[in-house]
Amino acid sequence: GNYSPRYIELERPTILSEMREVEEIVEEVIMDNLHTAAYDNTDSGLSLTILGPTENIAKHIDRKMIVDYVTTHYTAPRMTMVCSGGLTLDQVHDLAQKHFSDLSPVSNRPVLKSKYIGGTATLWNSSMMTAHAHIGYPVCGAANKDVIVLQLLHYYYGSYRREMLPQFISQGMNSKRPFAPDLEKTQFFYTPYQETGLMGYQLVSVPSDSPSGSNSSTLADVFEHLTQTIADLVEKPPTAESLESAKCAYKASQLLMADSTTNSAEDLGRQMVHFGRKVPIQEHFEFVDQVTPQQFSQTLAKYFDGVRPAISTAGPYGALPHYDALFERSEER
């Protein structure tokens, strides 16, 4: 690449502009804060934002830093080239030779071990119209097959949007959760890495005009319902029928991900990075079919039982639950 000082200086305002755009996306900020709360920043870079601090971008990044970074991380063993669509194997090989033949064949990546510490990050903003909470648990790396079992939790618990209430309460144990009129959505997320991952739920509520502090219970109630659902599943496995329903929903989502060449290429690249091979869909589904209610319960216990999740919140002060109070409610049950 061309890393001349002139081009580096031209790029600084572009990155700072991109940073400002990212900071305007609430979900991005909350997820960055969740990683900051979840991981120790002395063991890996998982607790740091992708773009880094403003001062570093504006003043400190230079040619040597960029060259060192590229030499360390952009090596052949750490890259995968994926093509999907109307290309022959010879054409793909020629493209790889043309564009990537000068990459180092040796991985220079230092060994990093992420250390989960848990905790909370709160961004109070009285001008926000919605209150947000991300709740994340530390789980295994992406290549571990436990991830497939863990993802069935999403299809058991379900996701919710205000306009989809009937569908939501028909899934799993959701009919046991009292309806909160100011709850906007609950949405599952899973952020995978090589040796770890964060898995949990994003909660969003629309605070009412009631006095400050009186509607913080909405997010707290949903958090309590979520943690109680997990605790119940750890203590008592789900019925075979409910787990089978979750499996069917999971398999349908996997098939939908392969509905275009772009999605197919992305999925193939992910598999090559994590597993070193393409996993046939039949093999994938056979593993899902073999998951028993007892295995599902034991896997949840392995990663969730007794673990305090990391929590990142943003919104008006009165609409946000407090970290310690959340667990006091859970422990009082």
Side-chain angles (χ1 to χ4, degrees):
N2 190 337
Y3 308 124
S4 70
R6 175 174 175 271
Y7 284 111
I8 293 174
E9 293 305 318
L10 289 173
E11 193 65 24
R12 290 190 201 275
T14 302
I15 300 174
L16 291 172
S17 176
E18 181 181 346
M19 175 181 286
R20 287 190 292 270
E21 291 177 3
V22 170
E23 290 174 346
E24 292 176 357
I25 304 173
V26 176
E27 288 79 6
E28 294 282 354
V29 175
I30 298 176
M31 186 58 78
D32 282 344
N33 290 345
L34 183 68
H35 281 70
T36 300
Y39 294 108
D40 184 351
N41 63 11
T42 63
D43 294 302
S44 71
L46 291 182
S47 66
L48 308 176
T49 63
I50 294 176
L51 295 176
T54 302
E55 184 177 1
N56 199 36
I57 298 169
K59 298 179 180 179
H60 302 311
I61 293 179
D62 56 22
R63 185 181 189 281
K64 183 179 183 305
M65 291 175 65
I66 296 174
V67 171
D68 289 346
Y69 182 86
V70 171
T71 303
T72 300
H73 297 283
Y74 285 75
T75 58
R78 302 199 64 224
M79 297 178 68
T80 297
M81 180 177 173
V82 174
C83 295
S84 179
L87 288 172
T88 66
L89 184 60
D90 288 340
Q91 288 174 317
V92 173
H93 183 268
D94 290 343
L95 288 170
Q97 281 290 113
K98 177 180 179 180
H99 296 286
F100 303 110
S101 60
D102 59 343
L103 291 175
S104 170
V106 179
S107 177
N108 302 315
R109 177 182 181 268
V111 177
L112 298 175
K113 294 293 183 181
S114 59
K115 179 182 178 182
Y116 177 82
I117 57 176
T120 181
T122 300
L123 178 63
W124 286 313
N125 187 335
S126 60
S127 65
M128 290 180 63
M129 300 299 293
T130 53
H132 300 253
H134 278 44
I135 302 161
Y137 288 85
V139 296
C140 52
N144 192 317
K145 286 193 173 183
D146 282 352
V147 165
I148 299 175
V149 183
L150 291 171
Q151 288 186 82
L152 292 177
L153 173 64
H154 163 45
Y155 298 94
Y156 183 88
Y157 186 79
S159 294
Y160 165 76
R161 286 185 180 274
R162 185 195 298 264
E163 63 272 17
M164 298 172 63
L165 176 64
Q167 176 182 337
F168 178 74
I169 61 177
S170 69
Q171 295 174 290
M173 298 174 69
N174 294 317
S175 57
K176 297 182 179 181
R177 186 183 64 76
F179 173 63
D182 53 346
L183 179 64
E184 185 68 22
K185 72 174 180 178
T186 65
Q187 182 173 323
F188 177 83
F189 70 82
Y190 167 51
T191 307
Y193 302 103
Q194 182 176 350
E195 70 280 351
T196 186
L198 278 178
M199 181 177 289
Y201 267 85
Q202 171 194 3
L203 315 176
V204 181
S205 69
V206 182
S208 64
D209 296 329
S210 53
S212 178
S214 62
N215 50 27
S216 64
S217 63
T218 294
L219 296 182
D221 287 345
V222 179
F223 171 83
E224 185 175 357
H225 179 261
L226 173 62
T227 54
Q228 183 60 55
T229 299
I230 294 173
D232 290 344
L233 290 170
V234 166
E235 183 176 344
K236 181 181 179 181
T239 64
E241 181 181 4
S242 61
L243 183 60
E244 185 62 31
S245 177
K247 290 179 182 179
C248 290
Y250 172 80
K251 288 188 283 188
S253 72
Q254 296 300 304
L255 291 173
L256 288 172
M257 288 171 56
D259 66 348
S260 69
T261 54
T262 300
N263 289 344
S264 296
E266 182 178 343
D267 185 54
L268 178 56
R270 178 185 59 81
Q271 292 184 24
M272 293 299 297
V273 168
H274 295 323
F275 309 116
R277 68 185 181 96
K278 174 175 173 54
V279 180
I281 194 70
Q282 182 178 357
E283 178 184 334
H284 187 172
F285 285 178
E286 285 176 355
F287 177 83
V288 174
D289 289 336
Q290 292 169 4
V291 176
T292 65
Q294 291 73 25
Q295 181 186 358
F296 178 66
S297 180
Q298 291 166 1
T299 305
L300 291 183
K302 182 177 178 181
Y303 296 100
F304 295 125
D305 193 23
V307 177
R308 277 202 171 194
I311 299 179
S312 175
T313 58
Y317 176 83
L320 300 181
H322 294 275
Y323 186 76
D324 291 334
L326 288 173
F327 295 100
E328 287 174 5
R329 289 180 56 167
S330 298
E331 291 164 1
E332 287 172 358
R333 293 195 298 261

